[in-house]
Structure formats: structure tokens, C-alpha cells
Amino acid sequence: MSNSGTVVSVRGSVVDIRFDQQLPPIYSVLRAGADKQIVIEVLAQLDAQRVRGIALTPTQGLARGTAAEDTGGPLLAPVGRGVLSRMFDVFGNAIDRQPAPTDVQWRTVHRAPPALARRSTKSEIFETGIKIIDVLMPLERGGKAGLFGGAGVGKTVLLTEMIHNMVGQQEGVSIFCGIGERCREGEELYRDMSAAGVLPNMVMVFGQMNEPPGARFRVGHAALTMAEYFRDDEHRDVLLLIDNIFRFIQAGMEVSGLMGQMPSRLGYQPTMGTELAQLEERIANTDTGAITSIQAVYVPADDFTDPAAVHTFSHLSASIVLSRKRASEGLYPAIDPLQSSSKMATPGVIGERHYAIAQEIRRTLAQYAELKDIIAMLGLEQLSAEDRNVVGRARRLERFLTQPFFTTEQFTGIKGKLVSLDDALDGCERILRDEFKDIAERALYMIGAIDEAKTKAKAQPDPKPEAEMDRATSTHES
């Protein structure tokens, strides 16, 4: 039997509805309006006859007294082979100007995370082909990695490059979830993936910036429901890319404010930790397959003590921190090697040699960071010979860890490079042994494997003596 109610109040996206027969349960989806186009999700039962919901679509035209229909179930997402190579919104509607897929099942977006007994406990490395990530902060297969950074430091570019590098190697399925992102980014990504020929194993789900907070809040759950189908039913590995997890928290904050909840620190919702955990805990390795997740995290005003960044940090196995200072120096990808970390970087997982090289790189870069103040005040020539060697090594390492990206070829004019872990480790080890002491720093900038540096150095002989070049740089830095 249909369960009908009547709208009693509309305040922006918050709608109160009266039901005389039966009260719909929490998370039920209601439809209202002339042609039932307005979708409302129940979030609170106010009393024995009234529920309060948040509209997932704009509420223009909705008025008091309008009839509302209980659909009898929660929000559903399409799953199955038919969703591959397609683009969807939060309701499972195709938004790529193609007919709706037919061979799909519909499942609720509110699902429990896998039980602990079903989770896999083995640790494997997930290679990305990006030198600085593979060497210093290796990602975990079936783990969660976060790309942290303020506005304009390259989170989306790095995420797109990872898709490009991984989708070619990965046998499984890639799912891209855009939460509160610009339509331009979605359109560009669709075109790039189509041109790269990887669309047949990819699904895209978007909740755009202009959509109501309720839709942006639920789009992550819809994408995860699709990912869980491929992991649990088809036993395939899934690469889940989320851009941007901060917008999920922001949408939750808007929903919480609209529902009249008392805000917590810095205006965030009091339930932020729970809501984020409900989403993150579903991303897991099981005995049947793995969901590897890479998430961009916007950091408001570059403040890493912001509650959104702090709560997200606790869920991740690797944190990749992007630095505005490195971006201003032209060191791309602008990853801060001393702030970034990975739980995989232990001798038991990555091996003794890799661990030793990574620790030596960090030590060298940390020493250089300490010496920068002395160089700025007194100049490079006031340092001891050993310290000057450390500075030379660190600067060469910084330049070697830059890399041209496939996704930025059209802007930079430099052909993208994919570098294996062995090549990256070999290059770092040879720089630490001072093998490239007499080669100009710029020969190591924006190359792939280390042997390209010698070729580049021959093609572009450096007119300046090394010490003079360093002195000029130290003056610039000061």
C-alpha cells in the first residue's frame, strides 16, 4: 500500500512532512512535487506523525500542503557490469548523454562495513610510477591514501596522474567519485580517460558543487556501493578515487546546520567523526578482493590542525602532503617529503635496502632544511666541507624527485615519464653515493630514470661553477 503524507513546512532544503497512516523509517526516500521530481531523505522523526528530511534535489515549487509519497525504501545505487564506462549522479541516473543501462541491480547505499573476520591482513605495495611516492611514502594495496593540500597546489593533477598510471597496469575496476567538484574537472577527466582507452573498466559518479548538500553528502556512499559489488560479487580489485573528501565533510556540516544541530569546534557538525568513519570503514581489503582508495583532502587555509584534516589523517595508511612552498620553487609534484608518511615504510614490508635508502633521503633533506637558515644569513661558503656535500646531495635529490606528468604534457611541453621503483631507488642511491657530484643540478630536474641526467648534462653544459650557482640560489631563498 502506498503511504502518503503532506508537506507541513519548507525551509530551504529542510522539509517537514506529516504522515497520518505510518511514519517512514530513518533514511527512507520520499518523493514530492508535481511529477514527483523532488527527492527527500528522512533524517529525523520529530513526533508520532511528523518526519524531517533533507531534499536531495532543489526544492523550487514545493509548498505547504503538497502531497509526498513514501517510496518504501532508502536511496539506491545501480550495480553490475552495466555501470562500467558510464557516468552517474547520486540517484544512479546516467549523465553522459547515453541511454540508461539495463543490465543492473539496485542496492541500498547504506551498507555495513565488512566484518573483521572477513578482512585480509597481508600487506602489499601498490606501485604508482611516481618516484617520490614509491620511494618515500609507498601506498598499500587495499589501503587508503590521502593527498592533503590547500587550494591550487596540485591535488587533482596528482590524482589524475595516478589514474593514468594505474589504470593501464591495474586489472581491476576504477571508480572515480567527485564530491562537490567543478563540472569542468569531471568533463576533462571523462575526455582524458576516453582518450587513454581506459573507460571500459571505469565508472564515474559525480555530485557537483552546485547540487544541494544532501546530494553531495550521499554521492560517496553511492560510489562505495558500486565498489563493494565488484569486490564482493565479482571478486575483483577496485581502485576508488575520491575528489574531495573535505567536500563530504563540508556537505555533512551543511546538512547538520540545516537540521538545527549544535555546531562543534570551528563550526563542524558534532557527528563528523561518526559520519566519516561510516564512509571510510567500508573501504577495506577482504578475502575476496580489495578496494584501494586514494582521496584528495582540501586543507582549509593550509592549516593541518583543522578538525577535518585531523579526523581524515586517522583513517589513512599513507598521507601525501602537498606544499605550497615547494610548488612556488617549481618542484613538481609539490610533495613535502618530511611531512608525508606511510605505514608501509617499514623493513618488514618494503625490504631492508628500500627502507635504508628512504631513511637516508629523509635524513639528508632534514639536515638541508636545518642548514637553510645558516645559508640564508652567512652564505654557503661558511659551511664545513661535509655540510656543503649534504646541501649538494639534498638539492640533487630534490630535483631528481621531480617528474614530468602525462596529464600536464599539454601545459609544460615535456613528455610524461613512468618510473619503476627499481629505477627510482637506483637513482637515489647513486646520488647519495655522490656519483653525480660534478653534474649540474638542473640536469636532474624533470627527468625519469637517473641515466637521463648524463645525457641532459652533455646536451646542456652548465656555464656557471657549482658554488656560484648555489650561492645565487641561497640568496634567492633568503
Side-chain angles (χ1 to χ4, degrees), residues 78-207:
V79 299
R81 290 279 180 89
V83 301
L84 288 171
S85 80
R86 304 299 303 273
M87 191 189 275
F88 298 94
D89 65 7
V90 68
F91 306 109
N93 302 321
I95 52 172
D96 52 7
R97 298 184 185 173
Q98 293 178 38
T102 49
D103 52 337
V104 293
Q105 306 166 31
W106 291 82
R107 291 187 184 173
T108 171
V109 302
H110 304 281
R111 295 166 65 84
L116 282 174
R118 282 194 55 216
R119 298 199 177 209
S120 169
T121 53
K122 66 178 180 184
S123 295
E124 285 181 74
I125 295 301
F126 196 70
E127 273 194 47
T128 63
I130 298 168
K131 289 182 281 194
I132 191 166
I133 293 175
D134 290 342
V135 172
L136 292 175
M137 56 229 64
L139 306 189
E140 179 185 10
R141 184 175 290 281
K144 287 170 271 204
L147 306 178
F148 291 83
V153 291
K155 294 184 300 297
T156 302
V157 170
L158 193 54
L159 198 64
T160 315
E161 182 71 8
M162 285 190 184
I163 299 170
H164 183 282
N165 291 359
M166 289 181 199
V167 167
Q169 310 164 11
Q170 171 118 342
E171 296 297 308
V173 178
S174 293
I175 296 180
F176 182 88
C177 174
I179 306 177
E181 284 306 292
R182 302 164 187 84
C183 58
R184 166 182 63 77
E185 292 171 348
E187 191 268 338
E188 281 174 7
L189 182 73
Y190 186 84
R191 233 178 326 113
D192 291 347
M193 295 301 108
S194 181
V198 296
L199 217 50
N201 280 323
M202 195 164 181
V203 188
M204 297 185 197
V205 191
F206 281 97

Side-chain angles (χ1 to χ4, degrees), residues 6-17 30-40 53-69:
T6 309
V7 173
V8 290
S9 79
V10 184
R11 294 186 309 283
S13 290
V14 178
V15 186
D16 289 359
I17 302 164
L30 318 175
R31 287 186 171 271
D35 42 7
K36 299 288 181 271
Q37 288 296 306
I38 297 169
V39 182
I40 301 156
I54 193 94
L56 306 185
T57 53
T59 52
Q60 281 96 333
L62 197 61
R64 281 192 287 183
T66 306
E69 198 75 40

